[in-house]
Each structure stands twice: as structure tokens, then as C-alpha cells.
Amino acid sequence: MKKVLLFIAVTVVVLLAITTFRASTVFQDRQVEPLPEITEISLDQASAVDRFSKALTIPTISYDDRSQFDAGAFRDFHDFLQSAYPLVHEHARRTIVNDYSLVFHLPGSDTSLEPVLFMSHMDVVPIEEISRDQWTHPPFAGTVDDGIIWGRGSVDDKIGVIALMEALELHLAKNVQPKRSIYFAFGHDEEVGGKEGAAQIANYFADKGIRFDFVLDEGGAVTEGMLLEDHPVAIIGVSEKGYVNLVLTVDSPGGHSSQPPEQSAVGILSRAIVMVEDNPFPARLDYLYPTFEAIGSYAPYGARLAMGNLWLFSNLVKKRMLANQAQAAGLRTTTAATMFSGSPKANILPTRATAVVNFRILPGETVESVKQRVTELIDDERVMVSEEFGNNPSTVSPTDSRGYGLIAGTIRGMDENILVAPYMVRGGTDAKYFYPLSSNVYRFLMIQVDSEAMKYVHGIDEHVATEEYLRAIRFYYHLVRQSMAS
């Protein structure tokens, strides 16, 4: 018995020694050095805010039902950009792609250098009419009140379009002559998948044989209190999940509700959805670890102890993170039943019941593997499973490229207290279409967000602080300057 107790004691001591050592040594300071040339710029703040406010009044809405598309709103937005940014339109070549998307090209003097592409999108999501009265200010009024800019698109993602145009207009006012060519690309249907906008822009570039040194789209931000308590963390998207809607369909004879079958189409479909929800995809930590690795040396000891010893604590880490809705999304392919339809009347049995289940696909899975798993889980030939709009997860862009270094160095040059980390974007962006054109595709927008702010994106009272908008302009100004100088 003494030998057993001694063995247990020695084992505990060894484990403590190993885990403590790893917690103290595994995570080194990997932060990119701040770029030294980041200085304050002269900016007419009132005029810049006024232009952004006007941009938010134009309802460039993307609807799932394309018959609701308002072509006039997008043409109005084009006209607004032309009047608001005359120097960009004078010096950069504007190309309209597929009628509504825009490409701007500012040629550089050295054509041997691969150009840089900056992206954003002009379209916004609709307003639920039932929620319109709940907005503090009308969603398309572009109201500026007490240092806050209110309106749909103020965060997602007209801020990117307007901040980029402001930055380039400032450069052109100084008669800057770029060495490396700069492109801007603004899609018109990102919120419904980007197939008519960004995908066609990518085809346009491919047809011309253009490749990019790096691509920057929306998708990351400066997080506050979400990853570390003591430091804001700028997360740069280096990859993104895939996406698929699976449509589950059950057909039945229908009839009157007074003579129901043992199971109606709705009942069969409901059981199928419960089966899918009750069997989530397995959780993995491999796409979370690089984010933590970048900031681990700044993390509390307990977090370093757990993350530095995943060989011992991986199940505990998974369990804790899966209990947090936001964190759980980064660990697995997510399952979200979002739409359901059946009979048009309470006393009619439906002849067809349908449901849509949305999956955000973790790398390692594919659209096809998700469909196959769902079909096997349901295991009911009465339920037809078909896919509706899907794309596989992206590849992962490197963090040792010139582009990543410029983005990270610019962020830290503006505020050295901000830490930078790569991460996998949970949602979808237009950037997914540009991997054939560059190995270095990134996602970041220089605005600060916290868990509360995330509720406003696509929700009620979308807004951004004036200072955040102005900081986004300054960020793009410095990054564009660095990009086209060498």
C-alpha cells in the first residue's frame, strides 16, 4: 500500500512540475513590433462624419428574395461616392462589375510589384419591420448624436467602404505617387453570399491575370474584454468557416386535422431536427490554439496552465469553452435550425413540411461530409436532405507574410497596448472568393467591439462611436501608405 501511495505522490509531483514548467515557458511574447512611422494625421473630422452619415441614408439592402433588390439605391450610392470623393474618381480607374459592384485601381509606378487589394461591401441587411419602432434613431437616417453615429451599415460594413475612400482621398490630396498599385473592391451582395458581387470581381481579376501581394477584407476587430481582461486584442482573420443550408423536406398525403395520421409531416420533421441538434459535431481546439498562442504570454496563469498542457486538460478546456456560446462556435461545426414551414391553416395537415438548418463548417469538414452526417443521424428515408447554397471552409493564410506584418504592425503602431492575434472567422466574408488570387487573405476592421456591441451587428440600434470611425480612417490611411510605398 505504501508503494502505491508513494507512486501516486511521485506521479502528482511530476505532473505538477511538468505542467508548471510548461505554463511558464511554452508561451513566448510573439507580438509584432509596432511600425515606427505611424503619426497623427490631419483630418477634417466634421466633414468626414457628415459624409459617413449621408452614406448611411442610402438603403442599399440585400434581400434573400432577389425580386426585392433596389437597383436605384445602389446607383444612388455610386453617385454619392463620386460626388463625395472626387480625387479618387479622378486618379483611380473605376470599373463597375456586374452592374452594381465597384473596383477602383490606383496604378503604381513599379509594375513588377504585386498590387494590394482592400475590400468592403456596400450592401446591408434588411430591417425587421416589427423592430423598426425599437430603434433609438431611424435605421436609415444616418443620425449623429452625442458622439455616436447611428444606422444600418454603421458597423457592417459601410464603415469599411467610407473609411477606405476617406483614406485614399487624403493621400491623393497630398499628391502621393504610389510605387505599388492599390485596388479597392466593393461588392454589392455580401450579405446574401457575394456570388453576384465579390465572386464576379474575383473572376474579373482572374481574367486579367492579376494576383495580389495580400488582400484585406472585413471580419476581425479590436476586442475588449473578450479574450483578455487587461489588454484589447485585435483579431485578424486568417481563415473562415464554411457554410451550408441543408433543407429537410417531408412529404405526406395531407388531409383534415380531425383525422390525423400517427405522425404528421411536421412531427416527422421535428424528430429529425431534434436528432440533429442532440448530436452536435465534435469539438476541436486546433483552430483556437493559434489565437491563444499569440497572446498566451499575457494571459492569466490559470489559462496558460490549461492551454500549455492540453495533453492533460483538453477535455476540461473544451467543456468550459462549450459552455460559452461565443467561444463554442470556434470549436466545432455549428448547427442552427432557422426556418420551418408546414400547413397554411390550423386544421389542414401539411402535404409538405420543410425546415432549413444552417451549418458553419469547421475546417476538416466539407459541405458533403456535413450533409452525409446529417442524413445518417436522421436515418429516416421519409426525410429528404438537400443542400442550398454552400461553400467549404477556406484555407489558412500565413502569419509570417509581408501583408500580415503590415496589418499587425500598423495596429500596434497606432496603439502599442493592443495585442494582435490570428483567428478563424466564424461567419462568412467576401474574402473567400479571393484565395485563387493570393495566398495572403486577411480580415480586419479597425473598430473596437465587446460582447454587447456584437448584439448590434444585424440587430436593433446598430451604431458606432465617432472616434471609432475616425480611427478606422487613420488605420486605412497608414496601411494604404505602407502598402503602396514598397
Side-chain angles (χ1 to χ4, degrees):
M1 184 66 179
K2 289 182 180 180
K3 289 184 178 180
V4 173
L5 292 175
L6 179 61
F7 174 77
I8 294 173
V10 170
T11 301
V12 170
V13 170
V14 170
L15 285 174
L16 283 173
I18 292 173
T19 55
T20 301
F21 176 77
R22 288 184 59 82
S24 303
T25 60
V26 167
F27 300 110
Q28 304 297 315
D29 191 340
R30 292 178 168 85
Q31 287 302 301
V32 172
E33 288 296 316
L35 289 178
E37 301 92 354
I38 306 300
T39 57
E40 191 60 39
I41 62 173
S42 176
L43 179 61
D44 184 343
Q45 299 184 11
S47 295
V49 169
D50 181 62
R51 285 187 287 270
F52 187 32
S53 169
K54 289 177 180 175
L56 297 177
T57 66
I58 305 172
T60 50
I61 301 171
S62 275
Y63 297 95
D64 286 339
D65 179 1
R66 299 304 284 166
S67 68
Q68 295 181 268
F69 180 76
D70 183 357
F74 285 88
R75 294 193 183 100
D76 289 345
F77 194 76
H78 293 182
D79 292 343
F80 162 75
L81 292 179
Q82 188 162 8
S83 62
Y85 304 104
L87 294 179
V88 174
H89 285 77
E90 178 183 348
H91 295 280
R93 301 168 186 165
R94 188 187 79 163
T95 302
I96 299 176
V97 177
N98 203 18
D99 295 329
Y100 307 106
S101 289
L102 296 176
V103 171
F104 292 92
H105 174 209
L106 185 64
S109 60
D110 189 345
T111 57
S112 69
L113 297 175
E114 287 187 334
V116 172
L117 174 63
F118 295 91
M119 297 174 58
S120 192
H121 61 88
M122 298 177 285
D123 61 318
V124 301
V125 296
I127 306 299
E128 289 184 289
E129 287 304 316
I130 195 172
S131 73
R132 188 176 288 268
D133 292 341
Q134 299 175 48
W135 283 68
T136 301
H137 298 283
F140 292 103
T143 302
V144 181
D145 182 26
D146 196 24
I148 303 293
I149 305 167
W150 300 81
R152 179 63 88 219
S154 57
V155 176
D156 187 14
D157 182 36
K158 281 183 178 173
I159 186 174
V161 175
I162 301 304
L164 278 167
M165 294 295 280
E166 291 283 340
L168 189 54
E169 190 82 1
L170 285 169
H171 278 297
L172 294 173
K174 297 181 178 181
N175 294 314
V176 173
Q177 299 299 314
K179 182 178 181 181
R180 185 186 297 268
S181 292
I182 297 295
Y183 283 87
F184 287 177
F186 302 143
H188 72 275
D189 67 336
E190 191 272 350
E191 297 293 359
V192 290
K195 288 192 173 182
E196 296 180 12
Q200 299 308 313
I201 293 173
N203 290 339
Y204 165 81
F205 288 134
D207 290 344
K208 289 183 171 294
I210 298 172
R211 289 189 56 82
F212 297 100
D213 179 46
F214 72 90
V215 176
L216 179 63
D217 195 6
E218 58 154 347
V222 180
T223 65
E224 186 71 39
M226 297 175 71
L227 294 176
L228 294 177
E229 289 294 330
D230 298 332
H231 291 273
V233 180
I235 47 176
I236 300 174
V238 296
S239 62
E240 67 180 64
K241 281 183 156 184
Y243 179 108
V244 67
N245 289 328
L246 292 185
V247 181
L248 312 183
T249 305
V250 177
D251 290 329
S252 71
H256 198 284
S257 64
S258 62
Q259 300 181 57
E262 186 174 324
Q263 279 189 309
S264 69
V266 169
I268 295 168
L269 192 56
S270 298
R271 289 175 183 267
I273 292 173
V274 169
M275 181 62 70
V276 174
E277 287 190 334
D278 284 352
N279 291 275
F281 283 76
R284 291 160 38 203
L285 295 171
D286 46 335
Y287 281 87
L288 169 76
Y289 189 81
T291 302
F292 189 88
E293 187 177 40
I295 59 176
S297 63
Y298 296 84
Y301 177 79
R304 284 186 283 119
L305 180 68
M307 292 300 293
N309 295 280
L310 289 176
W311 58 278
L312 183 61
F313 298 121
S314 62
N315 288 337
L316 180 64
V317 171
K318 287 179 185 177
K319 184 176 181 179
R320 183 166 181 175
M321 296 193 69
L322 288 173
N324 182 299
Q325 184 175 337
Q327 293 177 344
L331 269 64
R332 60 161 50 120
T333 294
T334 55
T335 303
T338 56
M339 302 174 71
F340 203 111
S341 65
S343 168
K345 198 170 185 295
N347 63 352
I348 299 176
L349 294 169
T351 56
R352 169 166 288 189
T354 62
V356 176
V357 186
N358 175 252
F359 298 86
R360 301 302 174 109
I361 308 170
L362 198 70
E365 296 282 351
T366 64
V367 169
E368 188 55 40
S369 71
V370 169
K371 180 180 177 182
Q372 180 179 345
R373 186 177 191 274
V374 168
T375 302
E376 291 173 354
L377 280 173
I378 294 172
D379 192 25
D380 188 337
E381 61 184 15
R382 295 173 298 177
V383 182
M384 294 178 287
V385 181
S386 59
E387 66 183 73
E388 176 186 81
F389 181 74
N391 58 267
N392 290 322
S394 75
T395 56
V396 181
S397 295
T399 58
D400 60 356
S401 69
R402 189 186 88 98
Y404 186 91
L406 285 180
I407 298 165
T410 302
I411 294 167
R412 288 184 42 79
M414 292 181 67
D415 185 348
E416 195 170 348
N417 190 50
I418 298 176
L419 304 180
V420 177
Y423 95 118
M424 177 185 63
V425 177
R426 276 56 160 160
T429 71
D430 278 342
K432 61 181 171 284
Y433 295 111
F434 290 82
Y435 280 92
L437 305 177
S438 180
S439 300
N440 309 305
V441 179
Y442 305 106
R443 302 154 185 84
F444 180 75
L445 178 63
M446 189 69 174
I447 58 171
Q448 189 164 297
V449 299
D450 56 20
S451 56
E452 191 65 25
M454 295 303 295
K455 299 175 184 177
Y456 303 138
V457 181
H458 288 201
I460 298 168
D461 271 352
E462 184 177 350
H463 64 269
V464 67
T466 299
E467 188 51 46
E468 290 298 305
Y469 163 61
L470 297 173
R471 185 165 70 156
I473 296 173
R474 295 185 181 103
F475 169 77
Y476 282 133
Y477 176 89
H478 291 300
L479 184 57
V480 168
R481 178 175 64 85
Q482 296 283 347
S483 300
M484 64 186 181
S486 62

